[in-house]
Amino acid sequence: MPGIPERNIELNRVEHELQRAHLRSMPRCLGVVLSNRCNIGCIHCYQAKNGDSLLEPRRIGEDLRREFTSLYPYLTTLRLQGGELFAIPGFTEMLEDVAAVADRPIVSISTNATLIDEGWAERIVRTPFRNVTVSIDGARPETFARLRRGSRLEEVLANICRIQRWKEKLGSEFPYLDSFFVVMRSNFREIPEYVRMMREAGMVAVSLQTMEISPENSARLPTLDAMETIGGRAEVVELHRLVRETIERERPGIVIRTSGLTTLFEQHGLDAAFVGEGEHGLYPDAEGGKTARPELCPNPWTTLFVIENGDVHLCFLSEPVGNVYEEPLVSIWNSPRAVAKRSRMAAGRYKAAGCSTQWCGWREGGKAEVPSGERRAEALAAFETLAARASDLLQEGNDSGPELASARRMLQERRRRVSELEALFQELCRVNQETHDSGQAHIDALEGNVRQLQAEVAVLRQAREPEPGLWVKAWSRLVALMRS
């Protein structure tokens, strides 16, 4: 008999196919950025370096862990990342939470792999993890060292080998190993060499994503955009050729995912169909690196992504739809902003849905076809059956601890007070504008009278024989004008 994860996955697939905006299924993938603390300094890192951590203070961290744990029975993927996870307090406790609830490999991590010693390599295989993604932004030691300051390519590759040896020693299929590569001006010519190196290291997949220029990395290195963003047509054409050749040569032997390349190529009038970004995009819960319906991005139907400041996204590339410090995850999953996002995406309005123009702009206007005829009838019948069972699956995810509940009440009160202040400020602005407009109208009228009086005085001065009483009239008008 199918268990909770299998039944949730099936309901989730049917809701995605039917383009339901309000979901009965729960997330299949939960992504959590524990903190932005890191032991190395990548020049292109888009994160802030302010030490934000979801699990601190400790009591609120315990409440959040309890809330995360309530979703574990439904998940196929728990995606944890930093900063650098192995340098972040609380990472070990998260792993213990998973082991206490889930009896299957669901943990997937992103790491720079600099801190994976023999003990961690063994634990990663024995736990077991499902996926380990290693960030490697260069195929040559000098390029790697320049971009990922404080790290050495040889050290990272050696730590990957540690995990591979433990997999072989224990006869374990897990974890699957893959790699992430940020495409920049100084490293894109190494892509063919990089993909080949990753395949030889036993990686099952690589991901190529264009660089993000954020307020954080541009503040740390103001010349980063000019130095590393690929924008000139000659460079884009060269990148296009290298990626095409690499995909044609390597994709049968290794999964190659991409993000941002389709938009970049299409901006320069280059064919991007070979990239297959719809089918081979960055979907954290795609099976075999592919998504079932590439014409409609599945992430908002499958994924909740929580970052270190508490913001919650339905995709790590899009705008947030809530904050975990303000309301529970299960409420955010079907919040008005989440429902609106799914509805707009189904209508092909990705920009209005808060999706990234850089990475997902190519989807704009692409409306997915809704099943019809026999297929629609089958999908609706499956939905009714699965939805009827959904109440058996659902668990209370709102049972937060007192510390987190108190923090949420404080934030709700702050939101209320901010709203009141905004209303008062808007009223003040309105009254101020009305006063300004009224005063300006009065000034305009006075200036008009002055100009008219000056014109009359000029006429009097030029007249040889002024009309009797004209000076008296002018003087009377001046007195009246001054009194006004």
Side-chain angles (χ1 to χ4, degrees):
M1 181 177 177
I4 290 177
E6 292 78 17
R7 291 159 66 185
N8 186 61
I9 288 171
E10 188 57 34
L11 177 57
N12 186 263
R13 284 173 175 163
V14 172
E15 289 183 315
H16 179 238
E17 183 174 9
L18 291 172
Q19 302 178 22
R20 294 296 174 109
H22 188 282
L23 305 181
R24 297 291 297 274
S25 61
M26 299 293 281
R28 293 164 48 181
C29 175
L30 173 63
V32 182
V33 179
L34 295 183
S35 174
N36 55 38
R37 297 175 186 171
C38 192
N39 63 317
I40 67 173
C42 301
I43 67 170
H44 52 285
C45 180
Y46 61 87
Q47 288 181 303
K49 300 299 179 184
N50 57 11
D52 270 356
S53 176
L54 280 172
L55 303 185
E56 292 181 359
R58 186 174 182 84
R59 289 186 178 180
I60 287 182
E62 290 172 352
D63 292 343
L64 281 175
R65 283 170 49 203
R66 187 181 304 114
E67 193 163 302
F68 294 150
T69 302
S70 70
L71 294 178
Y72 295 168
Y74 307 97
L75 301 182
T76 57
T77 302
L78 171 63
R79 183 81 178 176
L80 301 178
Q81 60 190 80
E84 174 48 44
L85 285 173
F86 295 98
I88 296 172
F91 175 49
T92 300
E93 287 82 352
M94 291 281 287
L95 296 179
E96 292 170 353
D97 293 343
V98 177
V101 175
D103 58 355
R104 62 199 186 283
I106 65 172
V107 176
S108 174
I109 67 170
S110 294
T111 175
N112 60 38
T114 58
L115 302 177
I116 300 178
D117 57 17
E118 202 68 25
W120 265 116
E122 180 181 359
R123 181 174 182 178
I124 286 170
V125 178
R126 287 189 183 278
T127 300
F129 285 54
R130 182 176 181 84
N131 277 87
V132 174
T133 300
V134 183
S135 295
I136 300 176
D137 301 315
R140 301 167 192 167
E142 60 274 16
T143 303
F144 184 92
R146 187 180 64 81
L147 296 175
R148 305 186 67 78
R149 295 173 179 172
S151 177
R152 295 188 304 112
L153 180 59
E154 300 89 342
E155 176 187 32
V156 170
L157 294 176
N159 291 341
I160 291 171
C161 286
R162 289 181 192 270
I163 299 174
Q164 298 287 30
R165 285 197 301 269
W166 275 105
K167 285 180 64 176
E168 184 177 353
K169 182 177 181 178
L170 299 177
S172 176
E173 176 186 3
F174 299 107
Y176 301 123
L177 297 174
D178 61 90
S179 177
F180 194 91
F181 184 101
V182 178
V183 180
M184 291 175 275
R185 173 174 288 147
S186 64
N187 69 2
F188 79 87
R189 294 178 180 86
E190 300 177 23
I191 288 176
E193 185 179 351
Y194 156 78
V195 174
R196 183 170 59 255
M197 181 174 68
M198 293 299 97
R199 177 171 50 78
E200 293 172 353
M203 299 292 192
V204 298
V206 296
S207 298
L208 308 174
Q209 179 171 299
T210 54
M211 181 180 64
E212 175 183 1
I213 295 296
S214 71
E216 286 74 23
N217 58 22
S218 58
R220 291 192 295 267
L221 185 60
T223 58
L224 179 64
D225 191 10
M227 286 170 48
E228 294 290 356
T229 297
I230 301 172
R233 179 169 176 80
E235 287 181 331
V236 175
V237 169
E238 185 179 2
L239 172 64
H240 182 271
R241 177 183 59 80
L242 287 172
V243 172
R244 180 190 285 274
E245 292 174 353
T246 302
I247 286 177
E248 291 174 350
R249 181 177 60 253
E250 301 285 358
R251 190 168 259 174
I254 188 171
V255 174
I256 301 178
R257 304 186 184 101
T258 64
S259 180
L261 293 180
T262 295
T263 300
L264 180 62
F265 293 158
E266 289 184 347
Q267 285 174 345
H268 290 267
L270 301 172
D271 170 53
F274 71 93
V275 175
E277 210 156 289
E279 185 179 15
H280 298 278
L282 300 188
Y283 310 116
D285 198 47
E287 297 179 2
K290 299 181 180 181
T291 181
R293 296 193 65 201
E295 68 275 15
L296 177 60
C297 175
N299 284 342
W301 280 262
T302 62
T303 303
L304 272 176
F305 192 76
V306 188
I307 67 172
E308 67 270 26
N309 68 359
D311 280 347
V312 181
H313 307 246
L314 297 183
C315 169
F316 64 100
L317 299 176
S318 67
E319 295 176 1
V321 293
N323 189 286
V324 75
Y325 293 125
E326 298 178 1
E327 54 184 325
L329 283 173
V330 291
S331 300
I332 296 173
W333 181 237
N334 277 314
S335 67
R337 280 193 282 177
V339 170
K341 178 175 179 63
R342 296 185 189 108
S343 297
R344 289 166 180 159
M345 290 174 64
R349 298 169 58 218
Y350 283 82
K351 293 180 182 178
C355 296
S356 166
T357 301
Q358 177 180 349
W359 294 302
C360 305
W362 60 274
R363 290 185 179 274
E364 183 67 15
K367 184 177 180 181
E369 183 179 350
V370 180
S372 60
E374 185 176 344
R375 177 56 201 150
R376 177 173 176 79
E378 291 175 356
L380 286 171
F383 171 77
E384 294 298 332
T385 301
L386 292 164
R389 298 175 182 169
S391 58
D392 298 332
L393 302 179
L394 295 177
Q395 297 179 353
E396 287 294 329
N398 298 339
D399 187 21
S400 301
E403 297 291 336
L404 182 55
S406 175
R408 283 175 176 157
R409 286 194 297 271
M410 291 174 62
L411 283 170
Q412 288 170 355
E413 175 63 16
R414 188 183 73 174
R415 271 206 320 272
R416 181 188 66 77
R417 292 161 80 179
V418 168
S419 296
E420 290 178 353
L421 288 173
E422 286 178 343
L424 288 172
F425 179 72
Q426 290 172 0
E427 177 64 16
L428 179 62
C429 289
R430 184 189 64 78
V431 172
N432 183 65
Q433 187 64 46
E434 288 180 353
T435 302
H436 175 273
D437 293 344
S438 176
Q440 187 63 50
H442 187 62
I443 290 171
D444 291 344
L446 290 175
E447 289 178 342
N449 289 337
V450 169
R451 285 192 297 271
Q452 183 178 352
L453 185 59
Q454 289 173 336
E456 293 177 0
V457 169
V459 170
L460 287 172
R461 284 175 176 171
Q462 293 175 2
R464 292 181 179 178
E465 296 180 1
E467 188 178 317
L470 196 57
W471 281 104
V472 176
K473 291 181 182 179
W475 179 257
S476 299
R477 283 173 54 79
L478 177 59
V479 171
L481 182 61
M482 293 175 64
R483 287 176 177 175
S484 65

